[in-house]
Amino acid sequence: MTLTSEGGSPRRTPRSEEPAVWRMLQRVQVRAARLLEADLLTAHDLALASYDVLTRLAETPDGRLRMNDLADQALLSRSGLTRLIDRLQRDGLVEREACTSDARGLYAVLTAAGRTRLAEATPTYLRSLRARFLGVLDDDELRQCATTLTKLLPPPP
Amino acid sequence: MTLTSEGGSPRRTPRSEEPAVWRMLQRVQVRAARLLEADLLTAHDLALASYDVLTRLAETPDGRLRMNDLADQALLSRSGLTRLIDRLQRDGLVEREACTSDARGLYAVLTAAGRTRLAEATPTYLRSLRARFLGVLDDDELRQCATTLTKLLPPPP
DNA sequence: TCTAAACCGGTGCGCGTGCATCCAAACAGG
DNA sequence: CCTGTTTGGATGCACGCGCACCGGTTTAGA
C-alpha cells in the first residue's frame, strides 16, 4: 500500500469530513442498537443478538446453519456464538444437531418455539426500526444509503 | 404515535430495504471499529474508546470536560466512563480535578502525556480510517453520507 | 499410507460494560 | 432554615464477549 495515487478506488489524501462521518456512524449505530434491543427486551425478552441469530436461521430453507457460518453472519467470535447458542438452546429456541457429512460440524437448528418467538418479535423489530431510526429517511435517501453502505461493506477484499 | 400518515417526517409504512440497511450499517460499523481498534492497539496500545475520550478532551479549549458530559459524548454509561478514566489516569494520560463551582463535579483533564499520546496516535487513526473504511467513497458520496447520517442522528428529539 | 497441518466447536479466563445502589452535594418548597 | 428531591460520580455485581488453548476430525503432502 503506497502513498501515491496509483489508480484504484481507495483514496489516499485526508479529507476533513472523515472523522465526523465515522463519529456519526458510530453514534447512529450504537443508539439504534440500544433502542432496538430495549424494545425487543421489554416486549419479547429477546436480546438483539438473539433476534439476529434466529433471523439468520429462519432465512435458511431448512432453518439450520453451521455454527461457523452463523458466527460470521452474527458478527460474533466462535466462542461467543457457542455461548449464545447455549442460551437459546436452554430457552428451547434452537437445538444443536450433528452434521452427518463432517463429524466435527454442528448445526444450529431453529425449533418450532424459536420460529414462533421470532414471528412474535418481528413486528416489534420492524416497527422499532422504522419508528426510531430509519423512518426519517425518504425512499430515495434509503436507497442511496443502501448503495453507499454496500460500497463500504468488505472494503477491499 | 399513530399509524396514520399525519404529515411529519417519520414514515409509517414498512419498506423492505430497511432491515437490509440496518444490517449493513451494523456490519460496517462493527467491522470498522474492530479494524481501527486493532490498528490503534498494535501501534499505540490505545483502545478506541480511550482514543475517543482523549480526542474529546483535546477539542476543548482547556482540555477538560465534566465526567457527565464526557460520558454522553463517548457513548458510555457514567459508570463505564468512571472505569475508563480510572485506566487513563493510571496510565497518566488524564487526571481528575475538582470542580470549584460544584463540589460534586469532577473534571477529566488531559495531561501533557495524554496530549503527546494523542498526537502520536492521530495519524494512525486517520490513515486507518481512510485506508480500511472511508477511502472507497468519493467526495460526493462522503458528503452525501454525512448529510444522511445527520438526519439519522437524534431521530425525533 | 502415514504424518503434519488446518479446521470445527467448546472451555478457562480476563476484560469492559451496564444496572442497581450508594454517598455526598446541590437545589426547591415550605 | 430545614427537609425532601434531584444530581454527579463511584462501587458491587453479573453478564456477554474475545483470546488463547484444547480435543477430535478432516485434509494435504511425502
Side-chain angles (χ1 to χ4, degrees), chain A residues 15 23 59 141 151, chain B residues 15 23 59 137 141 151:
Chain A
R15 289 175 292 185
R23 279 193 190 181
E59 284 167 353
E141 291 167 330
K151 287 193 187 180
Chain B
R15 289 175 291 185
R23 278 193 190 183
E59 284 168 353
L137 299 185
E141 290 167 330
K151 287 194 187 179

Side-chain angles (χ1 to χ4, degrees), chain A residues 1 3 9-15 17-36 48 52 55-56 59 72-77 125-127 129-156, chain B residues 1 3 9-15 17-36 48 52 55-56 59 72-77 125-127 129-156:
Chain A
M1 185 170 294
L3 287 177
S9 28
R11 296 186 110 270
R12 264 79 182 187
T13 49
R15 289 175 292 185
E17 310 93 326
E18 289 182 346
V21 165
W22 167 234
R23 279 193 190 181
M24 285 195 286
L25 187 74
Q26 276 184 110
R27 271 199 116 63
V28 165
Q29 195 275 340
V30 170
R31 179 187 157 77
R34 288 181 185 168
L35 292 175
L36 271 183
L48 187 54
D52 197 34
T55 304
R56 308 289 178 157
E59 284 167 353
D72 291 342
Q73 294 193 27
L75 297 170
L76 243 42
S77 68
Y125 177 82
L126 294 177
R127 195 178 334 117
L129 198 54
R130 199 160 57 241
R132 335 187 56 149
F133 178 41
L134 290 172
V136 295
L137 299 185
D138 62 36
D139 292 6
D140 274 350
E141 291 167 330
L142 191 64
R143 272 191 296 271
Q144 185 80 26
C145 199
T147 65
T148 302
L149 285 171
T150 303
K151 287 193 187 180
L152 254 22
L153 251 186
Chain B
M1 184 171 292
L3 287 178
S9 30
R11 297 188 107 268
R12 264 80 182 187
T13 50
R15 289 175 291 185
E17 310 92 327
E18 290 183 346
V21 166
W22 167 233
R23 278 193 190 183
M24 286 194 285
L25 187 74
Q26 276 185 110
R27 272 199 116 64
V28 165
Q29 195 275 339
V30 170
R31 178 188 158 79
R34 288 181 184 168
L35 292 175
L36 271 183
L48 188 54
D52 197 34
T55 304
R56 308 289 179 158
E59 284 168 353
D72 291 341
Q73 295 193 26
L75 297 170
L76 243 41
S77 69
Y125 178 82
L126 293 177
R127 195 176 336 117
L129 200 54
R130 199 160 57 242
R132 334 188 55 148
F133 178 42
L134 289 172
V136 296
L137 299 185
D138 62 36
D139 292 6
D140 273 352
E141 290 167 330
L142 191 64
R143 272 191 296 272
Q144 185 79 26
C145 200
T147 65
T148 302
L149 285 172
T150 303
K151 287 194 187 179
L152 253 22
L153 251 185

Side-chain angles (χ1 to χ4, degrees), chain B residues 67-141:
Chain B
M67 296 290 283
N68 234 327
D69 306 334
L70 197 46
D72 291 341
Q73 295 193 26
L75 297 170
L76 243 41
S77 69
R78 280 143 183 80
S79 66
L81 181 72
T82 293
R83 267 54 106 105
L84 178 50
I85 295 296
D86 285 349
R87 280 168 261 151
L88 292 176
Q89 189 168 21
R90 174 172 46 70
D91 295 348
L93 305 181
V94 306
E95 279 176 355
R96 271 177 243 246
E97 203 167 295
C99 175
T100 58
S101 63
D102 185 341
R104 297 169 301 180
L106 253 64
Y107 285 107
V109 191
L110 205 50
T111 65
R115 250 177 236 284
T116 303
R117 193 71 162 279
L118 179 61
E120 291 166 357
T122 295
T124 302
Y125 178 82
L126 293 177
R127 195 176 336 117
S128 190
L129 200 54
R130 199 160 57 242
R132 334 188 55 148
F133 178 42
L134 289 172
V136 296
L137 299 185
D138 62 36
D139 292 6
D140 273 352
E141 290 167 330

Side-chain angles (χ1 to χ4, degrees), chain A residues 56-128:
Chain A
R56 308 289 178 157
L57 291 176
E59 284 167 353
T60 260
D62 50 354
R64 78 186 50 215
L65 227 36
R66 289 286 294 267
M67 297 289 285
N68 233 330
D69 305 335
L70 196 47
D72 291 342
Q73 294 193 27
L75 297 170
L76 243 42
S77 68
R78 277 145 186 90
S79 66
L81 182 72
T82 294
R83 268 55 107 102
L84 178 50
I85 295 296
D86 285 349
R87 279 168 262 150
L88 291 176
Q89 189 168 21
R90 174 173 48 70
D91 295 347
L93 305 181
V94 306
E95 279 176 357
R96 271 177 243 246
E97 202 166 295
C99 174
T100 57
S101 61
D102 185 342
R104 298 170 299 181
L106 252 66
Y107 284 108
V109 191
L110 205 51
T111 64
R115 251 179 235 283
T116 303
R117 193 74 160 280
L118 179 61
E120 291 167 356
T122 294
T124 301
Y125 177 82
L126 294 177
R127 195 178 334 117
S128 190

